[in-house]
Amino acid sequence: MTTPSKVDTLAGPSSRREERKVLAGTLVGTTIEWYDFFIFAQLTATLLSPLFLAPLNESNPGLAQILSFALIGISFLFRPLGAVIAGHLGDRLGRKAMLVFTLVMMGAATALIGMLPTYAQIGAWAPVLLILLRVIQGFSAGGEWGGAALMAVEHAPVNRRGLFGAYPQIGVPVGMILATGLLFFLNTGMSKEDFAAWGWRVPFLLSIVLIVVGYLIRRAVAESPVFQEMALRKKESKAPLGELVRNHKLPVLYSTLIFIGNNAAGYLLIAFFISYATKTLKMPTPQILLATTLASFGWLIFTLVGGWLSDRIGRVKTFLIGYAIVFAWMIPMFALIDTKDIMLYGLALFVLTIGLGLSYGPMSAMYAEMFPANVRYSGISIGYAFGAILGGAFAATIAETLLQSTKWTGSIGIYIMILCVISAVGVVLAKETKGRPLGVSSHH
């Protein structure tokens, strides 16, 4: 029997000051990554098809909307590549270096989108260049989450891993609040013509400021104590990816399944609802953006609650409660949205965020506890990336296609309900992980 790693002691390896720096570093980085992602997703729902797919938008607006949602999905296809490369290097060179690298790459791609000429200016090259920058965004997002999750969880005291792991998770709703809030102010503060002409570029260009702030904060964070221990004991795998593929296939499969339902439901909130409410239901864009911003605060709160609760009752129970809420709410939610009443629309989104948060908050901790230290970055990054492809990548595209073919929003609800069942099965198969050792010397 090996002696327990100091990483797995109740007191944890970090001082309070270091803990705060780590939590700030993981939160700021994921917030910036997801701000960048959401700016694109939400502008796709309202504006990018006339700017970058102009001829198609004039001849077949419905198909143009489906294809513009597919632009969201394209970047997801490159997440596994980012996950494989950043995961492999993160397991060999350290968590911190990959965090800084992915942050700068995502920011650069986002800022360049803000400088792109439109279809009217350079023709077919406009969508081609847009796709290329989306690929870079997807690659960097694939490596970002795993590093942030591990920095938070591997610094955490064993009895607070769920709560610490929720901090990189709340970067999603915080990024959503920043993105949607900024679009709300731009939409209300300038004419539609000005926004379509140049205002849409502002949120992309502002990413440069956020990147500088995030880079400075992340650089100040200490390397993960687990990675330091691996380096000290020279226990790193020479080929963590090969080790993962040979010996840890089932945890990769389970982590993929666990994320599908949450990610698909989340991308309805991020992209589809805004398009559906403004284009199909003809509700005012500023009101819809404000309702989405307010709902994102629910997502933030319940993600933290999900992480905290998983430290109390376990990861599996917390996930299953979250998925049960998303499953049960799907049909009533669309019924409320279809009333075209902005208050009921806001209520529909807010209740959804309760289930989203509870099935997202425990994810960092559970994923980290599913893999041994030397393949952990690779394992969780790849599972998360594949879960995102099968879940959120084309969720808005599938939802739009279902809506146009069935003319019934309930069909979208049923689609998400099926994915929730698949994810719940993945959670049950993975079994409870709370309290498993994370250090180098002992792991299941």
Side-chain angles (χ1 to χ4, degrees), residues 13 337 364:
I337 289 171
S364 298

Side-chain angles (χ1 to χ4, degrees), residues 202-227:
V202 172
F204 290 106
L205 296 172
L206 279 177
S207 179
I208 297 169
V209 179
L210 294 175
I211 295 305
V212 173
V213 174
Y215 173 77
L216 293 173
I217 291 174
R218 278 208 165 162
R219 239 182 49 172
V221 176
E223 180 57 88
S224 152
V226 172
F227 185 81

Side-chain angles (χ1 to χ4, degrees), residues 143-410:
E144 151 67 24
W145 180 81
L150 290 191
M151 285 294 279
V153 175
E154 290 180 345
H155 272 90
V158 68
N159 61 334
R160 294 171 68 203
R161 284 183 197 151
L163 181 60
F164 274 49
Y167 273 80
Q169 303 298 77
I170 62 171
V172 175
V174 174
M176 180 100 163
I177 289 163
L178 284 177
T180 319
L182 180 58
L183 288 175
F184 168 76
F185 286 115
L186 289 172
N187 270 278
T188 51
M190 62 173 62
S191 69
K192 277 188 174 181
E193 293 74 23
D194 282 346
F195 185 74
W198 60 269
W200 66 272
R201 297 180 183 276
V202 172
F204 290 106
L205 296 172
L206 279 177
S207 179
I208 297 169
V209 179
L210 294 175
I211 295 305
V212 173
V213 174
Y215 173 77
L216 293 173
I217 291 174
R218 278 208 165 162
R219 239 182 49 172
V221 176
E223 180 57 88
S224 152
V226 172
F227 185 81
Q228 288 175 341
E229 188 178 36
M230 280 163 56
L232 195 65
R233 301 187 188 194
K234 307 222 179 300
K235 287 270 188 177
E236 306 103 310
S237 166
K238 294 300 177 196
L241 191 57
E243 160 80 4
L244 182 76
V245 171
R246 281 192 302 275
N247 300 321
H248 304 284
K249 294 184 195 76
L250 280 179
V252 172
L253 173 63
Y254 297 155
S255 56
T256 297
L257 296 178
I258 288 167
F259 191 32
I260 291 172
N262 177 281
N263 198 235
Y267 266 83
L268 293 188
L269 181 65
I270 292 158
F272 176 75
F273 290 152
I274 295 171
S275 169
Y276 176 65
T278 55
K279 293 187 174 180
T280 305
L281 301 181
K282 307 295 184 190
M283 296 172 73
T285 300
Q287 285 187 2
I288 296 304
L289 290 171
L290 185 59
T292 306
T293 306
L294 294 175
S296 298
F297 281 99
W299 199 355
L300 191 165
I301 292 162
F302 291 107
T303 299
L304 280 176
V305 170
W308 172 84
L309 190 62
S310 78
D311 286 330
R312 301 294 179 278
I313 67 171
R315 320 294 184 219
V316 169
K317 284 180 185 171
T318 308
F319 262 113
L320 293 179
I321 292 167
Y323 274 128
I325 293 169
V326 176
F327 181 95
W329 188 238
M330 271 298 121
I331 302 299
M333 177 186 74
F334 276 107
L336 290 180
I337 289 171
D338 286 339
T339 63
K340 302 184 187 180
D341 181 296
I342 190 63
M343 299 301 288
L344 294 179
Y345 178 89
L347 175 65
L349 269 54
F350 187 83
V351 175
L352 173 64
T353 67
I354 300 173
L356 281 179
L358 295 182
S359 57
Y360 197 53
M363 193 172 292
S364 298
M366 185 166 184
Y367 278 25
E369 290 162 341
M370 286 167 68
F371 294 94
N374 62 326
V375 297
R376 188 170 293 138
Y377 199 140
S378 301
I380 74 168
S381 298
I382 291 167
Y384 187 90
F386 280 123
I389 287 178
L390 297 176
F394 297 102
T397 313
I398 292 167
E400 186 70 29
T401 307
L402 284 170
L403 181 65
Q404 291 193 24
S405 57
T406 66
K407 309 299 181 192
W408 178 51
T409 49

Side-chain angles (χ1 to χ4, degrees), residues 115-138:
M115 302 173 194
L116 270 186
T118 63
Y119 193 96
Q121 294 166 310
I122 60 167
W125 278 106
V128 169
L129 291 171
L130 183 62
I131 289 167
L132 177 63
L133 292 172
R134 289 294 291 155
V135 166
I136 295 171
Q137 281 190 320

